[in-house]
Amino acid sequence: MTLGVLASGRLGYTVLRQLVSDYMLNFVMTDAQSLNIQRFCNEKGIDCFVGNPRNRKSVNFIEDKVIDVLVSINYLFIIERDLIELPNKIAFNIHGSLLPKYRGRTPHVWAIINNEKTTGITAHIIDEGCDTGDILEQIQVPIESEDTGATMLDKFETLYPTLIGQVLAKIENNQIDRIPQKEHLATYFGKRTPEDGQIDWNWQRERIRNWVRAQAAPYPGAFSWHDGQKIIIDDVVLDNHGFNWHMPNGLILTIKPLRVKTPNGVLHLTRTRLLNVDSLSKGFFLK
């Protein structure tokens, strides 16, 4: 079977390296920032389109390409009809949630924020909607209490090749089952930017902890402000230090260790970036 691959980022690169050893790749399409994918294609002599293919920008690239299957892995761009209709057999995408839940961008981050205990990865038909195509296969993935957005991506990295292999084997054997998504169960979450990471200290401390671990390094990070200084917070733990409920939320209770008051308890900030602890004072606020 001949494949065309749409891939971006570290996850796309990891899976691409696996695919090239097991299948015949006719071409790869990626974004300008995925330099490792571009270098890999150059080394292997694989035709590579770089950039946004929308509005038929890739029409000249794909016009002579003949493939059986189109596979999309962590691809940054919306896929339009010219690519969807290119393969002779099927076009499918791997999405980082158990569809129809968590359609949209960075679903594993949103799942941690929302205190989910389980997520997963889904192989689904590519259509012109956003993660709306029929489901082909799914693998459940637990979210442990110490997992971060980055560790969940590590789990996905090991499972994506397995899921793709399962789907491709079924395509080769004409055993594909297409399961329509149940629209009444669908949820959608949008793209996140670094500016979206600000902590609201009026949240319950459990939500703040999930917010922090979902975005911890190497992600941009949850953050707060103190006296004009941005403080990026990578880890917090629930602390049994005492407090008075009349105290304002975000109040710094102690410096070493750094403890902050929330509505339902205290958080110990165990790992931070861009923070000079000596510049802090007990009784000041994080905002």
Side-chain angles (χ1 to χ4, degrees):
M1 243 181 354
T2 304
L3 308 184
V5 176
L6 315 177
S8 294
R10 190 189 84 184
L11 190 56
Y13 173 64
T14 299
V15 178
L16 175 63
R17 292 179 61 188
Q18 181 69 43
L19 287 175
V20 85
S21 66
D22 298 331
Y23 299 93
M24 180 178 295
L25 270 58
N26 191 305
F27 68 84
V28 170
M29 300 175 74
T30 191
D31 63 286
Q33 302 304 313
S34 294
L35 300 179
N36 51 357
I37 292 177
Q38 296 172 44
R39 284 192 293 266
F40 183 76
C41 290
N42 185 56
E43 292 168 3
K44 296 294 183 180
I46 303 170
D47 283 351
C48 184
F49 176 89
V50 179
N52 191 334
R54 298 183 67 185
N55 300 316
R56 294 180 60 80
K57 292 187 182 70
S58 65
V59 64
N60 292 331
F61 176 80
I62 65 174
E63 63 181 356
D64 63 343
K65 302 295 190 292
V66 179
I67 58 170
D68 297 306
V69 180
L70 183 70
V71 185
S72 173
I73 310 122
N74 201 38
Y75 194 51
L76 290 187
F77 305 113
I78 296 293
I79 301 165
E80 296 182 331
R81 182 163 294 277
D82 58 344
L83 285 173
I84 294 171
E85 296 179 345
L86 181 62
N88 294 323
K89 293 187 176 182
I90 202 169
F92 73 93
N93 175 58
I94 307 297
H95 182 72
S97 81
L98 293 174
L99 291 174
K101 299 295 186 183
Y102 290 94
R103 293 173 178 171
R105 299 291 294 273
T106 58
H108 62 295
V109 170
W110 282 112
I112 294 173
I113 288 172
N114 292 336
N115 201 38
E116 302 282 4
K117 300 299 187 290
T118 304
T119 184
I121 55 176
T122 300
H124 68 93
I125 296 293
I126 300 171
D127 59 18
E128 292 185 278
C130 180
D131 305 319
T132 54
D134 292 351
I135 293 169
L136 303 175
E137 291 283 340
Q138 293 184 316
I139 297 176
Q140 287 196 358
V141 183
I143 302 176
E144 307 296 343
S145 62
E146 300 302 317
D147 271 326
T148 66
T151 63
M152 291 306 300
L153 210 58
D154 290 340
K155 293 181 182 182
F156 288 178
E157 198 169 282
T158 65
L159 292 172
Y160 267 44
T162 299
L163 184 59
I164 292 171
Q166 291 173 355
V167 174
L168 290 175
K170 286 191 172 184
I171 293 171
E172 283 189 294
N173 295 317
N174 296 313
Q175 294 177 338
I176 281 293
D177 292 319
R178 298 173 55 143
I179 303 171
Q181 294 191 39
K182 296 178 180 179
E183 285 299 316
H184 70 285
L185 298 178
T187 59
Y188 175 85
F189 291 84
K191 178 181 178 181
R192 297 187 57 79
T193 68
E195 291 72 30
D196 296 326
Q198 185 163 2
I199 296 168
D200 184 341
W201 294 99
N202 292 309
W203 291 335
Q204 301 281 295
R205 62 180 183 167
E206 292 81 7
R207 175 169 174 77
I208 294 173
R209 181 177 181 273
N210 288 337
W211 187 264
V212 167
R213 68 190 180 102
Q215 304 171 77
Y219 286 18
F223 67 89
S224 193
W225 294 91
H226 172 70
D227 194 26
Q229 180 184 16
K230 185 178 183 180
I231 302 167
I232 299 176
I233 302 166
D234 283 320
D235 187 59
V236 298
V237 296
L238 308 187
D239 193 290
N240 64 2
H241 191 277
F243 68 99
N244 187 318
W245 73 277
H246 286 294
M247 294 173 173
N249 299 319
L251 180 69
I252 297 173
L253 299 174
T254 66
I255 305 300
K256 295 180 181 179
L258 181 54
R259 295 187 176 102
V260 179
K261 189 257 180 187
T262 76
N264 67 324
V266 174
L267 285 173
H268 173 194
L269 281 54
T270 58
R271 210 163 59 243
T272 62
R273 286 180 263 169
L274 307 179
L275 174 61
N276 177 9
V277 174
D278 293 331
S279 70
L280 300 178
S281 299
K282 180 179 176 181
F284 278 66
F285 301 96
L286 296 180
K287 298 180 180 180

